[in-house]
Every structure is written in structure tokens, then in C-alpha cells.
Amino acid sequence: YARYDIAIPPVREVGSIKWPSRPEKADVSTDFLTTAQVLHPTDRAFRDDLRRSLAKTDGSAVIFVHGFNNTFSEGLYRFAQLTHDLQIQETPVHYSWPSIAEPLGYVADRDSSLFARDGLEQLIRDVSAAGARRIVLVAHSMGGHLTMEALRQIALRGDRSLMNKVDGVVLISPDIDVDVFRMTAKTIGDLPEPFIIFGSPRDGVLRLSSFITGQQGRLGSLEDVAKLADLDVTYLDVGAFRDGTGHFTAGTSPGLIRVLGRIEDVNAAFRGDVGARTGLL
């Protein structure tokens, strides 16, 4: 348990993270830097700190779950970048599960993500115990599989009070088999609303995942969204905004980030006609 303060350089491209070329040459005006850290010795100390942070907002928290092949600092800085670029006002909480951060470590990372599901469930409970009224889960890649597993555990425990605190789920390029996702969603029952999935059939990383696992049809690279038609989810194909491998477009594409930053304006356009609501928010 810890708290980190991250400085973000004032001039940079939206969606980008600027790493120092060398640690001794780090410059707060041009690089992402950690400016302060507090290591909490107990979960109670963490909850007390989090309670103070929640009191400064409307009592809402966003928990970010990173994906495959991520170091601790990569996940931390990526969430700081997302929070800044999307102008997230809720209290940001980063859940770091033990990825070995190696491109060839896919199987090890998948085992680690399953190992970490109890920890994510406990973090959700900690955030709730700290006084959060609403919790939104945002997960990338393999973190989407981990998030679904944690929600499944909460549902199987019959803990509706905690499940009701989860006020939305966003899966970005989720690396999970479609049939596994469907079965998990059915086990959970009533999914948190909204439940949004960002995906693209042009996702190069998920194509590789399909090859490694021998499973076709990853949730984040669907070509036929009819497979989800009976579930209360919103699937957004962001392939037109593809950037690099297309595996984190929702967080790295400047154009898409600008669209998401004004999504409330889009939602307002549908409010006059209830029948035309997209359910996006």
C-alpha cells in the first residue's frame, strides 16, 4: 500500500508518456517523474489516506488494473497519464499485480493475474471501507481477465452491497476468450452499468495472444459483436484510431482521447430522446 505523486510535463503530445533519457538527467519540465511517495505499513493507514482523498471529491474512485508485460512504474505512469488526459476527477487507485514484464512471459503473466484476483477483490473492499460511494474499474489487456475473475468471486460470495458499489467497468483491449467472458458474465449476473469494452479487430497484440493460447476470438479483437448481443454491454470498435500495435488505443490515441474527453457532450445529445439513448454512460 502506498501513495505516489506524479508530475506530468506541461508540454507533450496527448496520450504519450515521456521517460527520462537517463535517471540523473530527469527534468520535471519534460519528463514524467515521481515527486513524492508514502509507503503505508498497514491497510488501515492506506484506508485513512484514501479516505482523506475521497473527501476532496464526490466520494468516487477509479481503480486501474494494468495489463500484460508491465513494470510497476509503467502501470503507475500510464494511469497518471490517463487520469490527466481524460481529466478524471475521481480519486485514482492503481492496482499493480506482479507481471514479470517480459515479452516472452505471457504464460507466467497469465498465472500471475489469476494469483492476483484475491488481491484485487481485497483492494475493492479497502476502497469501499475507506468511504467510496462509487467505484469504477478500468482494466487493460490481461487486466480485463483479472477484473472479471475478481467480480466473479464477489458475486459468488453473494456480496451485493460491495457489487452495488461498482458503478461501472471499462475494459480496454481485454485479453480474454469470448466464451470465457460470456460464462463469467452469466455467473456475475447483473453486470455493473455502464459496462464498456474498447476493442479492435486490428489489435496486433491480441492476434499474437490468440496464436499463443490457440484460442480464436479474443474479446478485445471481436469482428462480430453479435456474440455479445444478449449481454448488457457496450462494445466500441476503435480500430479507426489505431496507433502502433492498436493494443491501447483508448489511452494513447490523441484523437480518441479528445473524443472521450467530450463524451458527456455526446451523451447530452441523446438525452432529449430516451428511445435514442446509446447507453454509453
Side-chain angles (χ1 to χ4, degrees), residues 1 39-52 122 126 129-130:
Y1 293 105
L39 303 181
H40 294 300
T42 65
D43 54 351
R44 180 174 180 177
F46 169 74
R47 288 194 298 269
D48 289 343
D49 194 351
L50 183 58
R51 185 174 292 108
R52 289 189 290 271
Q122 183 57 49
D126 283 330

Side-chain angles (χ1 to χ4, degrees), residues 47 50-51 54 58-63 90 120-138 151 154-155 158-169 188 190-194:
R47 288 194 298 269
L50 183 58
R51 185 174 292 108
L54 288 166
D58 66 348
S60 300
V62 176
I63 298 177
E90 294 82 359
L120 178 55
E121 179 186 350
Q122 183 57 49
L123 178 63
I124 296 171
R125 294 185 184 280
D126 283 330
V127 174
S128 175
R133 297 189 301 106
R134 298 170 58 250
I135 300 172
V136 176
L137 301 176
V138 179
L151 290 174
I154 294 172
D159 193 343
R160 292 309 310 176
S161 62
L162 182 61
M163 186 66 77
N164 290 338
K165 287 280 188 77
V166 180
D167 202 43
V169 174
I188 294 172
D190 293 333
L191 294 174
E193 296 182 9

Side-chain angles (χ1 to χ4, degrees), residues 25-91:
K25 295 227 176 201
D27 185 344
V28 72
S29 66
T30 59
D31 305 320
F32 275 63
L33 291 175
T34 300
T35 58
Q37 70 172 5
V38 177
L39 303 181
H40 294 300
T42 65
D43 54 351
R44 180 174 180 177
F46 169 74
R47 288 194 298 269
D48 289 343
D49 194 351
L50 183 58
R51 185 174 292 108
R52 289 189 290 271
S53 180
L54 288 166
K56 298 176 183 177
T57 65
D58 66 348
S60 300
V62 176
I63 298 177
F64 177 67
V65 185
H66 66 76
F68 160 67
N69 186 26
N70 264 231
T71 65
F72 174 77
S73 57
E74 285 170 344
L76 186 66
Y77 280 22
R78 177 60 69 189
F79 190 29
Q81 173 257 311
L82 280 176
T83 301
H84 180 273
D85 288 348
L86 291 174
Q87 299 180 20
I88 295 173
Q89 302 301 313
E90 294 82 359
T91 297

